[in-house]
Amino acid sequence: MAHGPTFEPKNSVLKWTEERLPIFGLIHGSLGPGYPAPRNLNYWWNFGSLAGLCLVIQIITGIILAMHYTPHIDMAFDSVERITRDVNYGWLMRYMHTNGASMFFIAVYIHIFRGMYYGSYKAPREMLWMLGLVIMLLMMATAFMGYVLPWGQMSFWGATVITNFFSAFNDLYAGSGNGDGLGDMVVSLLLGGFSVDNPTLNRFYSLHYLLPFVITGVVILHIWALHIPGSNNPLGIDMKGKQDKIPFHPYYTAKDGFGVFVFLAIFAMVIFYAPDSMGHPDNYIPADPMVTPAHIVPEWYFLPFYTILKSFTIDFIITAKFWGVIAMFASIILLFFLPWLDSSKVRSAQFRPVFRFFFWVLLVDLVVLTWIGAKSADEIIFMDIQAVTIGQVATFWYFFHFFFLLPVLSRVEKTLPLPESIASAVIKDKA
Amino acid sequence: MTTIETTNEHDEGATRRDFLNVFAVVGSAVGTAAFVWPLVDQMNPAADTLALASIEVDLSAVEEGQSVKVKWRGKPVFVRHRTAAEIATAKADDGASDLKDPESDADRVTAGKEQWLVMVGVCTHLGCVPLGQQGEYGGWFCPCHGSHYDTSGRIRKGPAPKNLEVPSYSFLSDTRVLIG
């Protein structure tokens, strides 16, 4: 465990408490002067604490919204409108919560890409990386179920499309073809009926309230796992001595605090000036099981995975639909194996020029996947090329990057010489 | 304690203890598994949901060339009183080469009641509700991603993989049908 100076309270009350429950020492060692951090952390390291802030905002606003929300198909939509129009500051709570989800994903996605660029997933931080992915998966489930609660058209049809993924299991056991296949059984187990209905809304509400606390538990494990090896840094080399370290408090509490203000300023602009910019207008139409919206799209943070799902159009042994579902889950699960897919001993992309180039290519690829996800499959993008074709190329590249490029590259790439220590590199930079 | 352990090593008591250990572990495992089932099964459709699993539709008011859309298991069901021309086209197309999911018209209706076409009104592509008497084949057209269905509800053109699903149904009389 990365140790700094131990906590020695002077105050007699603190001392009395500390002897019985060493909680102040825990805080001191995790976020205080007792946590020695590398001296060269840049602003990309702010996004962990920002994600934590988002979790707190979501839990507080969410508990408040739950005091005014009614989880019933006949009343849910109206209760959300009532929160927006009639409840004191209800509009603020609601827009903080809806946009807070987007801000949470922005923070977490940047946090993940920072880890990928600087090799934070590599030994000895594999467990830290995997716990982070567990948090991301839990966030996705929570966000999906939360989006269903306002019971608008996109809530309803999004839930219909996403729960129907599981009907792909009919490929394994189709039954009589009259609703008794394995997939049908899984879907009706999830929905509590034959379609998205009141039982579905109720269970999603229950789980949407539960999961953030599960996330909090995994966040604690994530921070615990962080404090064993300590933070990675932009150079990706280990801290060697005192000259490489500074105490977390006051240095990084101040730096994180500055980031919080910038982040909250952007968040406030979204809430006050464009609160519906990241939502879909169709969700202001109450859910109607008899009419589908012309174009069903998930929230922006699911779009890359939605494109991967839609990119499989040819039946091969199993149906195209099943391939799509498998690929979509695989695109996330493969990240758990990233520490082993990339076997290079050098962590930071600063010293891996070829890796760095392909990192940015991957980022562009994900932008393309996001952009295509919002299009309908047969939309013509340019010339005669349909959206689905571009999505297929981008999907191919995504898997090619992780399953071929990265394993090969990490074995053959000639890396640049690493600096002797963090301190020497930092001092050379300044000189 | 030491005395007891020493004694056990020397007599048959050890096998009795093994038996008790195994019995306790297996018993707890079976008991836990039995208790987990209610926790899972409560997620399945409840009795009142299942009670609505079938519906009766009165067809007496549906004239030739008209359709009704009824809600069954939370989804729309189309009941179409087809015209003679529609039935003729559907039968003539039984051998058409563009049938992605080949099925004869006779297999999709009840013999002797060819005028009634009963289908789940959910596009087999991504679950949208198709519009009636539209599209290139005069049947149904899905506005979401452009799937065309013919007058028998069979997929002819577009991204949908399957024909519109025919639910299990039976005629209670000439004008009453039980769906589900």
Side-chain angles (χ1 to χ4, degrees):
Chain A
M1 184 135 186
H3 276 300
T6 47
F7 180 61
E8 278 157 20
K10 306 246 171 356
N11 180 304
S12 60
V13 177
L14 282 187
K15 211 172 150 142
W16 183 90
T17 313
E18 189 66 11
E19 279 162 6
R20 285 152 182 84
L21 180 72
I23 190 159
F24 299 111
L26 184 71
I27 295 166
H28 172 93
S30 323
L31 302 163
Y35 178 45
R39 62 188 283 179
N40 59 335
L41 299 186
N42 59 29
Y43 274 111
W44 298 111
W45 261 262
N46 277 53
F47 288 89
S49 67
L50 291 175
L53 174 73
C54 288
L55 179 63
V56 172
I57 291 174
Q58 290 306 89
I59 289 178
I60 292 172
T61 54
I63 287 172
I64 292 168
L65 289 172
M67 295 176 185
H68 302 281
Y69 170 79
T70 314
H72 187 279
I73 54 167
D74 295 333
M75 288 175 271
F77 186 88
D78 290 341
S79 77
V80 172
E81 286 307 296
R82 184 180 160 270
I83 289 169
T84 319
R85 292 153 193 253
D86 298 339
V87 173
N88 298 334
Y89 293 102
W91 57 273
L92 181 62
M93 296 304 133
R94 180 183 170 216
Y95 283 134
M96 279 177 76
H97 198 73
T98 55
N99 290 297
S102 282
M103 296 304 278
F104 199 174
F105 273 99
I106 290 172
V108 160
Y109 283 167
I110 294 175
H111 188 61
I112 291 170
F113 279 112
R114 188 270 288 153
M116 285 168 78
Y117 186 87
Y118 293 113
S120 303
Y121 49 85
K122 294 186 181 198
R125 297 185 182 82
E126 299 96 322
M127 188 60 85
L128 173 63
W129 170 256
M130 290 191 280
L131 286 167
L133 292 172
V134 170
I135 295 170
M136 183 182 77
L137 285 172
L138 288 168
M139 278 174 64
M140 287 176 158
T142 312
F144 160 65
M145 288 191 275
Y147 195 66
V148 176
L149 303 183
W151 209 244
Q153 274 289 65
M154 275 303 160
S155 301
F156 182 88
W157 291 100
T160 301
V161 169
I162 289 180
T163 51
N164 262 310
F165 292 167
F166 296 94
S167 69
F169 285 113
N170 273 357
D171 277 22
L172 301 178
Y173 173 71
S176 68
N178 220 328
D180 58 354
L182 179 65
D184 303 310
M185 288 193 277
V186 172
V187 172
S188 66
L189 180 78
L190 292 174
L191 297 180
F194 303 105
S195 58
V196 176
D197 211 327
N198 202 46
T200 322
L201 179 62
N202 275 232
R203 65 189 54 183
F204 279 14
Y205 181 53
S206 168
L207 294 172
H208 183 72
Y209 205 119
L210 165 73
L211 287 184
F213 299 100
V214 179
I215 293 176
T216 308
V218 185
V219 166
I220 290 169
L221 295 180
H222 188 66
I223 296 173
W224 186 6
L226 167 69
H227 285 80
I228 290 169
S231 300
N232 186 28
N233 65 82
L235 295 170
I237 55 174
D238 293 328
M239 293 187 282
K240 293 205 176 76
K242 238 177 75 182
Q243 70 282 5
D244 291 345
K245 304 171 185 177
I246 46 175
F248 192 84
H249 179 76
Y251 294 100
Y252 288 117
T253 43
K255 193 164 184 163
D256 276 353
F258 177 70
V260 165
F261 279 105
V262 174
F263 189 75
L264 288 181
I266 297 168
F267 189 22
M269 282 194 276
V270 175
I271 293 168
F272 296 123
Y273 297 109
D276 286 315
S277 55
M278 288 186 272
H280 196 290
D282 274 16
N283 223 28
Y284 279 104
I285 304 169
D288 183 352
M290 305 296 267
V291 182
T292 26
H295 185 38
I296 302 169
V297 277
E299 300 87 285
W300 69 266
Y301 38 82
F302 290 141
L303 290 174
F305 311 106
Y306 195 51
T307 304
I308 291 173
L309 172 85
K310 290 193 294 181
S311 286
F312 291 80
T313 51
I314 297 166
D315 295 353
F316 175 68
I317 305 172
I318 53 174
T319 58
K321 186 170 160 180
F322 203 8
W323 279 117
V325 172
I326 291 172
M328 187 186 63
F329 284 109
S331 69
I332 300 172
I333 301 301
L334 73 82
L335 296 175
F336 282 90
F337 299 94
L338 190 55
W340 296 278
L341 289 169
D342 177 3
S343 59
S344 173
K345 292 275 173 273
V346 176
R347 294 195 190 102
S348 174
Q350 282 190 33
F351 306 103
R352 303 178 65 191
V354 186
F355 169 84
R356 185 169 64 214
F357 172 76
F358 284 112
F359 170 86
W360 291 112
V361 173
L362 180 71
L363 202 64
V364 171
D365 187 59
L366 279 154
V367 172
V368 172
L369 285 170
T370 306
W371 168 58
I372 293 296
K375 308 253 174 224
S376 50
D378 52 357
E379 196 173 323
I380 305 294
I381 301 299
F382 52 81
M383 313 282 274
D384 274 341
I385 302 175
Q386 291 187 329
V388 63
T389 314
I390 298 177
Q392 283 166 338
V393 172
T395 299
F396 169 78
W397 185 264
Y398 183 89
F399 287 103
F400 179 77
H401 178 96
F402 286 108
F403 284 136
F404 183 77
L405 209 61
L406 210 50
V408 171
L409 194 62
S410 57
R411 282 167 178 81
V412 300
E413 184 179 10
K414 203 166 155 25
T415 55
L416 303 178
L418 293 172
E420 217 171 280
S421 73
I422 295 173
S424 69
V426 170
I427 290 160
K428 216 177 89 198
D429 263 11
K430 292 276 182 292
Chain B
M1 283 304 284
T2 328
T3 336
I4 295 169
E5 275 169 25
T6 324
T7 334
N8 280 349
E9 264 174 45
H10 292 286
D11 62 23
E12 302 295 301
T15 51
R16 249 168 84 182
R17 172 163 293 187
D18 285 349
F19 172 78
L20 286 172
N21 279 340
V22 170
F23 189 79
V25 170
V26 171
S28 316
V30 171
T32 310
F35 187 68
V36 163
W37 176 241
L39 297 180
V40 174
D41 192 42
Q42 53 80 24
M43 302 267 290
N44 272 316
D48 63 330
T49 310
L50 291 173
L52 297 172
S54 55
I55 52 159
E56 265 184 61
V57 184
D58 182 7
L59 304 175
S60 55
V62 188
E63 301 286 334
E64 187 173 317
Q66 289 184 329
S67 313
V68 283
K69 188 158 87 170
V70 293
K71 200 169 159 187
W72 173 67
R73 296 183 174 181
K75 297 172 198 163
V77 167
F78 299 148
V79 181
R80 169 95 183 143
H81 193 163
R82 298 192 295 178
T83 62
E86 284 175 349
I87 299 169
T89 325
K91 283 187 173 161
D93 283 356
D94 276 352
S97 58
D98 60 354
L99 287 176
K100 255 204 241 176
D101 180 17
E103 229 182 332
S104 71
D105 186 57
D107 289 342
R108 297 177 55 79
V109 293
T110 308
K113 296 206 181 332
E114 283 86 1
Q115 70 273 36
W116 296 107
L117 180 62
V118 181
M119 304 182 299
V120 177
V122 173
C123 183
T124 55
H125 180 223
L126 285 172
C128 299
V129 180
L131 307 168
Q133 288 62 63
Q134 286 190 31
E136 290 175 23
Y137 297 88
W140 284 263
F141 171 70
C142 182
C144 293
H145 303 96
S147 295
H148 300 258
Y149 298 90
D150 66 12
T151 54
S152 189
R154 293 173 296 203
I155 180 67
R156 299 297 287 271
K157 191 180 170 188
K162 297 267 180 198
N163 300 333
L164 288 175
E165 185 195 340
V166 176
S168 58
Y169 66 92
S170 54
F171 282 92
L172 301 171
S173 71
D174 275 354
T175 58
R176 292 196 75 75
V177 64
L178 178 76
I179 301 172

